[in-house]
Amino acid sequence: AQSVTQLGSHVSVSEGALVLLRCNYSSSVPPYLFWYVQYPNQGLQLLLKYTSAATLVKGINGFEAEFKKSETSFHLTKPSAHMSDAAEYFCAVSVATSGTYKYIFGTGTRLKVLA
Amino acid sequence: KAGVTQTPRYLIKTRGQQVTLSCSPISGHRSVSWYQQTPGQGLQFLFEYFSETQRNKGNFPGRFSGRQFSNSRSEMNVSTLELGDSALYLCATGAGGLGTDTQYFGPGTRLTVL
């Protein structure tokens, strides 16, 4: 069965430091992968998605992620953290089921940015 | 383009009652999915509707049900509420049908069961 694992439920970085949020997936077929961000009291917002085109995907707010098939990973990075990046981040995989697709989400990583 | 709308934003109910939540999708979106979000379980898929038909269902008891109307608006109903049903309920809408579809989330309805 397809699944998504996010390592680290909480990550703290200093403002200006590199952000690295980890996501590993298991899938028997090439996956469609997504990163979403959730700010307090809001729904989820798409940061970026991998759809089997370029393996390095650039998203909004300076985030990017690299699909590595050999490592079954889709880690999210940002070169320099900003205070406004503090939020919860979710990795998700889209899986085919019963003639359609559904999302499976990881358990989320809460990012804290220290001044 | 207006975003996904969920009403109400907050609800307080007591055990045993029932509740109905509403989701209005982005114009043109025919797929509506519902998720339950709790601190312990994360985001759990409830079900998905497309063109008024339930297309996918998660592992929730029959107390959780939904429907979709011809204008793609969707409602979710929870009967005989339990304390464990306290959660943020999110709906997400999309064009529907492709694995690459982006899901657009509403702000959620926070349900508290006392």
Side-chain angles (χ1 to χ4, degrees):
Chain A
Q2 286 90 342
S3 65
V4 171
T5 302
Q6 290 185 243
L7 293 175
S9 58
H10 292 81
V11 170
S12 294
V13 299
S14 298
E15 192 175 19
L18 171 72
V19 175
L20 171 61
L21 304 181
R22 299 177 186 274
C23 173
N24 288 87
Y25 69 91
S26 67
S27 175
S28 56
V29 296
Y32 300 125
L33 295 159
F34 305 77
W35 274 101
Y36 282 83
V37 61
Q38 185 178 32
Y39 298 101
N41 299 315
Q42 294 186 30
L44 280 68
Q45 178 186 3
L46 180 71
L47 278 176
L48 50 82
K49 64 181 178 181
Y50 168 74
T51 59
S52 73
T55 56
L56 182 62
V57 183
K58 294 187 184 299
I60 62 171
N61 301 339
F63 284 95
E64 63 181 38
E66 186 172 7
F67 173 70
K68 291 187 177 180
K69 186 177 178 180
S70 61
E71 299 177 8
T72 60
S73 69
F74 190 56
H75 301 332
L76 182 70
T77 61
K78 181 173 180 178
S80 177
H82 191 273
M83 297 298 288
S84 61
D85 295 327
E88 191 156 21
Y89 292 79
F90 293 89
C91 182
V93 62
S94 173
V95 299
T97 176
S98 304
T100 181
Y101 289 86
K102 70 176 183 181
Y103 278 53
I104 297 175
F105 284 86
T107 51
T109 298
R110 190 170 297 277
L111 176 66
K112 187 174 181 179
V113 181
L114 307 171
Chain B
K1 223 178 199 183
V4 178
T5 304
Q6 289 189 248
T7 56
R9 291 293 311 276
Y10 301 92
L11 266 177
I12 299 176
K13 293 285 186 179
T14 56
R15 279 182 299 174
Q17 287 187 308
Q18 75 165 20
V19 66
T20 299
L21 313 181
S22 179
C23 173
S24 293
I26 291 171
S27 177
H29 285 186
R30 296 165 65 192
S31 167
V32 177
S33 297
W34 288 90
Y35 296 86
Q36 181 193 67
Q37 186 179 21
T38 58
Q41 299 294 322
L43 276 152
Q44 302 284 305
F45 173 75
L46 280 154
F47 30 65
E48 184 216 0
Y49 286 86
F50 183 84
S51 293
E52 302 179 64
T53 300
Q54 187 180 87
R55 203 161 63 164
N56 259 313
K57 192 177 188 307
N59 297 321
F60 278 81
R63 301 186 296 108
F64 292 82
S65 62
R67 59 177 176 169
Q68 187 179 32
F69 301 95
S70 58
N71 62 357
S72 293
R73 188 177 71 85
S74 177
E75 287 182 347
M76 190 191 94
N77 185 274
V78 188
S79 62
T80 319
L81 284 166
E82 301 176 359
L83 294 179
D85 297 332
S86 294
L88 181 67
Y89 289 88
L90 294 164
C91 84
T93 77
L98 296 178
T100 55
D101 281 349
T102 296
Q103 294 212 316
Y104 295 85
F105 283 80
T109 294
R110 185 163 297 281
L111 172 64
T112 302
V113 182
L114 303 176

